[in-house]
């Protein structure tokens, strides 16, 4: 996404702010991939970076922000006509929404659920939808290995699945079934 934004010229004229929470990727504190990003833990620092020319704000690791101000900031940025693109963890190891994600999701126009491959040894599940913190780093886990990361893998075919169709009234959710 950042490459596409750069290639399209979006970063011209200082209208592009890129920040990340330090917990998002502790190995690359001031980078998102090969892109420079300002590390910050507070929404007020993001606010200070936004100018009248800013059209897009990218926030990596938005679910790690502890202060409630991140929700208010995102709401204000969107209401002022700016585009906000954010990444973050959706669920903790217990399957509960992580951080301020429920409130941010309520503000979102689009939500993309990305999944990783479970990082548990010998697990063949390609649907890691949770993260657990091990030795200060977050690692992807499937729902079977999120609570008990030392347990043996569950054999294929034993787990069920859940598909949710969500949206406002009259959004053709039932028709999607």
């Amino acid at each position: 996404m950042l490459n596409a934004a750069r290639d399209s010229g979006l970063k011209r004229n200082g209208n592009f702010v890129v920040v990340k929470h330090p917990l998002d990727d502790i190995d690359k504190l001031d980078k998102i991939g090969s892109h420079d990003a300002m590390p910050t833990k507070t929404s007020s620092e993001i606010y200070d970076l936004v100018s009248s020319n800013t059209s897009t704000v990218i926030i990596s690791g938005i679910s790690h922000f502890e202060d409630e101000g991140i929700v208010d900031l995102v709401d204000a940025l969107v209401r002022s006509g700016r585009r906000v693109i954010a990444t973050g963890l959706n669920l903790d190891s217990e399957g509960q929404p992580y951080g301020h994600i429920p409130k941010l999701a309520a503000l979102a126009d689009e939500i993309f659920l990305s999944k990783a491959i479970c990082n548990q040894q010998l697990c063949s599940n390609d649907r890691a939808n949770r993260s657990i913190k091990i030795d200060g780093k977050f690692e992807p886990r499937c729902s079977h290995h999120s609570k008990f990361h030392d347990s043996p893998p569950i054999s294929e075919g034993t787990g069920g699945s859940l598909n949710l169709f969500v949206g406002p009234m009259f959004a053709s959710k039932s028709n999607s079934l």
Side-chain angles (χ1 to χ4, degrees):
M1 178 190 65
L2 280 171
N3 290 340
R6 179 198 58 214
D7 295 344
S8 71
L10 188 61
K11 197 169 181 175
R12 277 192 303 249
N13 305 322
N15 63 357
F16 196 79
V17 172
V18 180
V19 298
K20 70 178 280 188
H21 193 283
L23 285 177
D24 188 52
D25 184 355
I26 60 177
D27 294 332
K28 295 180 182 178
L29 188 60
D30 61 348
K31 297 276 187 192
I32 300 173
S34 63
H35 301 277
D36 292 331
M38 178 177 159
T40 181
K41 291 183 178 181
T42 67
S43 56
S44 61
E45 286 184 312
I46 299 170
Y47 174 80
D48 291 340
L49 293 172
V50 176
S51 72
S52 60
N53 292 332
T54 303
S55 65
T56 303
V57 177
I58 294 181
I59 306 169
S60 181
I62 197 165
S63 54
H64 294 301
F65 284 84
E66 293 178 6
D67 67 299
E68 183 78 25
I70 194 68
V71 177
D72 297 332
L73 175 65
V74 168
D75 187 38
L77 289 169
V78 170
R79 288 177 186 270
S80 67
R82 292 174 173 92
R83 182 176 185 195
V84 178
I85 302 168
T87 65
L89 300 174
N90 60 330
L91 301 174
D92 64 14
S93 62
E94 301 295 318
Q96 299 301 311
Y98 191 82
H100 298 294
I101 286 298
K103 292 177 183 176
L104 292 164
L107 296 173
D109 292 314
E110 291 184 88
I111 298 173
F112 299 97
L113 180 59
S114 299
K115 294 188 179 189
I117 296 172
C118 181
N119 207 18
Q120 175 68 33
Q121 189 175 19
L122 301 176
C123 182
S124 60
N125 196 339
D126 62 350
R127 295 189 177 190
N129 54 1
R130 294 179 173 88
S131 294
I132 60 172
K133 198 171 186 180
I134 299 176
D135 298 327
K137 292 178 119 177
F138 286 91
E139 294 190 14
R141 291 292 193 269
C142 65
S143 57
H144 299 296
H145 291 119
S146 63
K147 289 184 181 181
F148 309 104
H149 59 276
D150 292 328
S151 64
I154 307 293
S155 62
E156 287 293 315
T158 60
S161 66
L162 169 66
N163 296 327
L164 292 177
F165 294 83
V166 298
M169 294 293 291
F170 309 107
S172 297
K173 298 177 298 295
S174 298
N175 292 345
S176 298
L177 298 175

